[in-house]
């Protein structure tokens, strides 16, 4: 009886939550500490765990069944417990104790809850938790010893920089340095890291991956110190800003296009008037003179005036951007018609390989504007080949987008030139051959249709321009991003 009284007193007055579960998992008893832990106003006797817990009941049930079946104590560490109708969650450790009668028959399982919420535990479970966070972080993480040699990197580091973990062990983090970060930045970094009152540094660096592609990163480095205050390790966490910088450039580019459109709309017509007068006067002079030198100079004047007029026409096309005649457009049909027309006008020494699907690929947009994009990309490919080579036109689709690519085996585009391809007035063509507005117009049209355009190129191996547009279902409904049929 004394033993029974001791159990009763411990169960009811103990500081730790306790539940007594029957063999079928029903709650036979609960103590005040458990009800306080869950914030329960009523005694949950007679309920199952799944009826009172919004999270954590699966693991508790699993632990109960194993303790009951094996007839020995078990424990679970560091998992989340949340009561139904309560927003607060608790991190708990739970011990499972099988209960039996005088004949040895299991009569239930006693669960004892240790609330660890907000309490730091220097334990194997906590270490495993932090290691999982290290492995699954989307940011590149690197750990070095006190001398700055890498002793571990996470999968995000491997993905961003292209190096395998085993390759970088024992190397220094400057393995991914681009050389474009100034010495003053590194001096400030080490000054803060070695100062016990600061012990960390954050800033933006330009790193470089295995393939030579630069990655702007926002990196935070922390000096880890032992009990004696001496530095034992350095932990670096880098946020890759590449995509953010791309979006910033895209927004800046869009702003520049808007400004240019406003400028063009204001001055293009004013420029057209004197250009037209110059051409009329030049033609008049040419008709009235028989002098070959004068005729030659007039022809040169007319040629230059015509170049200026083409630039103005390009500006007007860019600035007008009439309201799109939006409807269903079969991109396969558009590609078929544009390629057929241009093949009849361009050099026969250029081989054009067109691969189109048999079924229609529908997008929502203005057919004329979409045809203009296809025409510009094909003309650029022809110009890059200088009359001889190969062009591949491919049209594919996934459930969300239609993908059009135009590739040539021309000389390719250097990286420093690729960065400016979509800027207005930027051209690689000889003087008088291009206005530098074609790709600027293309990207404006594609983005106004909810799409994107990108370029891949390698010097000496050619270039590929790809357009990605939202796909329509057969019923004309645009597929929202991320939704699969």
């Amino acid at each position: 009886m004394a033993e029974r009284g001791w159990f009763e007193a411990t169960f009811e007055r103990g500081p730790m939550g306790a539940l007594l579960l029957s063999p079928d998992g029903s709650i036979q008893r609960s103590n005040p500490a458990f009800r306080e832990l869950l914030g329960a106003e009523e005694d949950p006797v007679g309920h199952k765990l799944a009826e009172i817990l919004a999270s954590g009941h699966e693991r508790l049930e699993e632990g109960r069944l194993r303790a009951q079946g094996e007839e020995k104590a078990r424990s679970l560490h560091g998992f989340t417990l949340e009561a139904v109708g309560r927003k607060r969650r608790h991190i708990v450790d739970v011990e499972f104790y099988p209960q039996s009668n005088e004949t040895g028959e299991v009569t239930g399982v006693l669960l004892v809850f240790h609330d660890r919420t907000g309490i730091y535990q220097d334990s194997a479970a906590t270490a495993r938790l932090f290691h999982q966070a290290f492995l699954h972080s989307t940011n590149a993480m690197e750990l070095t010893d006190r001398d700055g040699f890498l002793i571990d990197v996470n999968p995000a580091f491997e993905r961003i920089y292209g190096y395998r973990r085993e390759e970088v062990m024992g190397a220094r983090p400057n393995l991914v340095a681009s050389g474009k970060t100034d010495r003053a930045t590194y001096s400030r970094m080490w000054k803060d890291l070695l100062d016990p009152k600061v012990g960390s540094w954050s800033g933006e660096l330009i790193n470089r991956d295995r393939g030579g592609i630069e990655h702007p990163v926002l990196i935070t480095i922390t000096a880890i110190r032992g009990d004696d205050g001496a530095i034992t390790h350095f932990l670096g966490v880098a946020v890759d800003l590449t995509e953010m910088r791309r979006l910033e450039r895209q927004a800046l580019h869009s702003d520049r296009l808007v400004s240019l459109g406003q400028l063009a709309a204001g001055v293009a017509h004013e420029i057209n008037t004197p250009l037209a007068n110059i051409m009329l006067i030049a033609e008049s002079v040419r008709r009235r003179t028989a002098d070959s030198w004068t005729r030659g100079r007039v022809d040169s004047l007319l040629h230059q005036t015509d170049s200026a007029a083409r630039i103005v026409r390009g500006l007007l096309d860019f600035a007008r951007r009439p309201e799109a005649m939006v409807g269903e457009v079969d991109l396969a049909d558009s590609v078929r018609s544009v390629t057929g027309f241009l093949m009849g006008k361009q050099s026969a020494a250029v081989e054009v390989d067109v691969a189109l699907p048999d079924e229609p690929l529908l997008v929502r947009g203005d057919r004329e504007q979409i045809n203009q994009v296809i025409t510009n990309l094909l003309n650029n490919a022809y110009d890059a080949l200088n009359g001889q080579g190969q062009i591949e036109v491919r049209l594919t689709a996934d459930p969300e987008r239609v993908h059009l690519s135009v590739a040539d085996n021309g000389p390719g585009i250097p990286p420093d030139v690729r960065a400016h391809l979509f800027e207005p007035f930027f051209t690689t063509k000889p003087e008088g051959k291009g206005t530098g507005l074609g790709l600027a117009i293309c990207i404006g049209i594609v983005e106004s249709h909810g799409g994107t355009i990108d370029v891949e190129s390698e010097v000496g191996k050619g270039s590929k321009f790809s357009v990605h547009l939202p796909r329509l279902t057969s019923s004309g409904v645009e597929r929202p991003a991320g939704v699969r049929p």
Side-chain angles (χ1 to χ4, degrees), residues 336-357:
R336 192 177 294 110
S337 62
V338 171
T339 52
F341 173 74
L342 291 180
M343 286 169 66
K345 296 179 59 179
Q346 298 287 353
S347 170
V350 174
E351 179 184 345
V352 182
D353 180 18
V354 182
L356 302 176

Side-chain angles (χ1 to χ4, degrees), residues 49-50 53-62 76 79-82 92 94 96 113:
L49 292 172
L53 296 177
S55 66
H57 53 84
E58 299 95 339
R59 295 193 64 187
L60 290 178
E61 183 64 13
E62 179 185 354
L76 289 174
F79 72 98
T80 302
L81 203 67
E82 180 183 359
V92 297
V94 183
F96 301 81
F113 295 82

Side-chain angles (χ1 to χ4, degrees), residues 165-186:
R165 178 178 178 274
E166 55 269 23
E167 289 183 285
V168 301
M169 294 301 95
R172 290 188 180 275
N174 61 12
L175 174 76
V176 297
S178 66
K180 292 191 174 182
T181 303
D182 58 84
R183 290 182 176 272
T185 299
Y186 288 118

Side-chain angles (χ1 to χ4, degrees), residues 246-471:
R246 186 190 70 80
L247 293 174
E248 289 175 351
R249 288 195 300 271
Q250 182 175 315
L252 178 61
H253 178 71
S254 298
D255 289 342
R256 292 174 65 183
L257 293 184
V258 171
S259 298
L260 179 58
Q262 293 172 342
L263 173 65
V267 303
H269 289 290
E270 299 298 327
I271 296 175
N272 257 341
T273 300
L275 281 178
N277 290 334
I278 292 171
M279 294 183 75
L280 287 172
I281 294 170
E283 286 287 358
S284 177
V285 171
R286 193 177 190 284
R287 287 194 303 269
R288 292 170 181 270
T289 183
D291 182 67
S292 59
W293 184 90
T294 302
R295 278 177 169 268
R297 306 306 288 177
V298 170
D299 287 343
S300 177
L301 174 63
L302 287 169
H303 176 73
Q304 295 298 324
T305 306
D306 184 62
S307 294
R310 282 192 293 108
I311 293 175
V312 172
R313 285 195 298 272
L315 276 171
L316 286 172
D317 289 341
F318 180 81
R320 285 190 189 112
R321 293 286 173 85
E323 185 175 348
M325 302 295 291
V326 177
E328 290 185 6
V329 179
D330 178 4
L331 200 56
D333 184 60
S334 288
V335 172
R336 192 177 294 110
S337 62
V338 171
T339 52
F341 173 74
L342 291 180
M343 286 169 66
K345 296 179 59 179
Q346 298 287 353
S347 170
V350 174
E351 179 184 345
V352 182
D353 180 18
V354 182
L356 302 176
D358 295 330
E359 73 277 10
L361 290 181
L362 301 179
V363 298
R364 184 180 299 281
D366 184 305
R367 183 182 177 86
E368 293 303 319
Q369 290 186 5
I370 290 174
N371 286 355
Q372 184 179 2
V373 172
I374 301 170
T375 301
N376 280 336
L377 294 182
L378 277 168
N379 278 333
N380 284 347
Y382 275 114
D383 291 342
L385 295 176
N386 199 23
Q388 186 169 3
Q390 294 179 331
I391 296 175
E392 289 186 351
V393 181
R394 298 287 182 266
L395 186 62
T396 59
D398 58 39
E400 296 173 3
R401 295 202 164 230
V402 179
H403 310 280
L404 168 67
S405 66
V406 178
D408 65 73
N409 65 343
I413 307 169
D416 58 328
V417 174
R418 287 203 303 271
H420 303 283
L421 281 178
F422 297 101
E423 295 179 2
F425 297 115
F426 181 85
T427 181
T428 58
K429 297 176 183 178
E431 184 177 353
K433 294 292 186 181
T435 63
L437 289 172
L439 288 176
I441 292 173
C442 282
I443 195 171
I445 292 174
V446 170
E447 289 180 350
S448 71
H449 284 68
T452 59
I453 183 170
D454 54 63
V455 58
E456 302 171 41
S457 186
E458 186 174 347
V459 175
K461 295 187 177 180
S463 305
K464 180 170 78 170
F465 286 80
S466 300
V467 174
H468 316 279
L469 293 171
R471 184 180 181 183

Side-chain angles (χ1 to χ4, degrees), residues 133-142 153-163 238 240:
F134 176 82
L135 292 177
H136 293 95
S137 172
T138 57
N139 298 323
M141 300 179 72
E142 56 193 55
V153 297
N154 71 344
F157 181 100
E158 297 177 293
R159 173 179 53 80
I160 292 171
Y161 295 119
Y163 290 98
D240 189 0

Side-chain angles (χ1 to χ4, degrees), residues 15-313:
M16 293 173 290
L19 280 180
L20 185 60
L21 301 180
S22 66
D24 69 353
S26 299
I27 299 173
Q28 291 182 323
R29 292 186 64 178
S30 70
N31 72 347
F34 177 80
R35 296 193 291 272
E36 182 179 352
L37 175 68
L38 261 63
E41 298 177 358
E42 298 181 0
D43 195 327
V45 168
H47 292 278
K48 296 288 185 71
L49 292 172
E51 296 173 343
I52 66 169
L53 296 177
S55 66
H57 53 84
E58 299 95 339
R59 295 193 64 187
L60 290 178
E61 183 64 13
E62 179 185 354
R64 178 191 72 81
L65 289 173
R66 294 191 65 178
Q68 185 172 298
E70 297 172 3
E71 298 187 21
K72 64 179 181 180
R74 300 189 58 82
S75 61
L76 289 174
H77 298 281
F79 72 98
T80 302
L81 203 67
E82 180 183 359
V84 172
R86 300 284 178 174
K87 294 184 178 180
R88 187 183 177 191
R89 296 183 175 185
H90 294 267
I91 307 300
V92 297
D93 295 342
V94 183
E95 295 169 352
F96 301 81
Y97 297 100
Q99 305 296 299
S100 57
N101 55 23
E102 293 80 0
T103 64
E105 179 186 5
V106 175
T107 58
V109 178
L110 175 67
L111 279 60
V112 179
F113 295 82
H114 303 263
D115 189 4
R116 303 300 189 188
T117 308
I119 301 175
Y120 173 79
Q121 301 178 78
D122 187 12
S123 64
T126 303
R128 285 194 300 270
L129 179 64
F130 277 101
H131 187 242
Q132 288 299 310
F134 176 82
L135 292 177
H136 293 95
S137 172
T138 57
N139 298 323
M141 300 179 72
E142 56 193 55
L143 185 66
T144 75
D145 61 18
R146 65 180 182 180
D147 297 317
F149 291 98
L150 288 166
I151 61 174
D152 205 357
V153 297
N154 71 344
F157 181 100
E158 297 177 293
R159 173 179 53 80
I160 292 171
Y161 295 119
Y163 290 98
R164 297 192 306 275
R165 178 178 178 274
E166 55 269 23
E167 289 183 285
V168 301
M169 294 301 95
R172 290 188 180 275
N174 61 12
L175 174 76
V176 297
S178 66
K180 292 191 174 182
T181 303
D182 58 84
R183 290 182 176 272
T185 299
Y186 288 118
S187 296
R188 290 192 299 270
M189 177 182 77
W190 283 111
K191 180 176 180 295
D192 288 347
L193 287 174
L194 298 177
D195 185 345
K197 296 180 179 179
V198 182
S200 63
W201 179 86
S202 293
E204 191 169 324
L205 304 178
I206 300 176
N207 286 340
R208 181 177 294 161
D209 65 23
R210 186 174 200 151
I213 297 175
E214 293 180 355
H215 293 259
V217 298
L218 177 63
I219 189 167
T220 298
I221 305 175
T222 303
I224 302 173
R225 298 177 180 271
D227 295 337
D228 59 356
I231 293 176
T232 60
H233 299 84
F234 293 98
L235 176 65
V237 181
V239 180
D240 189 0
L241 302 177
T242 304
E243 181 64 13
M244 182 185 298
R245 292 289 180 265
R246 186 190 70 80
L247 293 174
E248 289 175 351
R249 288 195 300 271
Q250 182 175 315
L252 178 61
H253 178 71
S254 298
D255 289 342
R256 292 174 65 183
L257 293 184
V258 171
S259 298
L260 179 58
Q262 293 172 342
L263 173 65
V267 303
H269 289 290
E270 299 298 327
I271 296 175
N272 257 341
T273 300
L275 281 178
N277 290 334
I278 292 171
M279 294 183 75
L280 287 172
I281 294 170
E283 286 287 358
S284 177
V285 171
R286 193 177 190 284
R287 287 194 303 269
R288 292 170 181 270
T289 183
D291 182 67
S292 59
W293 184 90
T294 302
R295 278 177 169 268
R297 306 306 288 177
V298 170
D299 287 343
S300 177
L301 174 63
L302 287 169
H303 176 73
Q304 295 298 324
T305 306
D306 184 62
S307 294
R310 282 192 293 108
I311 293 175
V312 172
R313 285 195 298 272

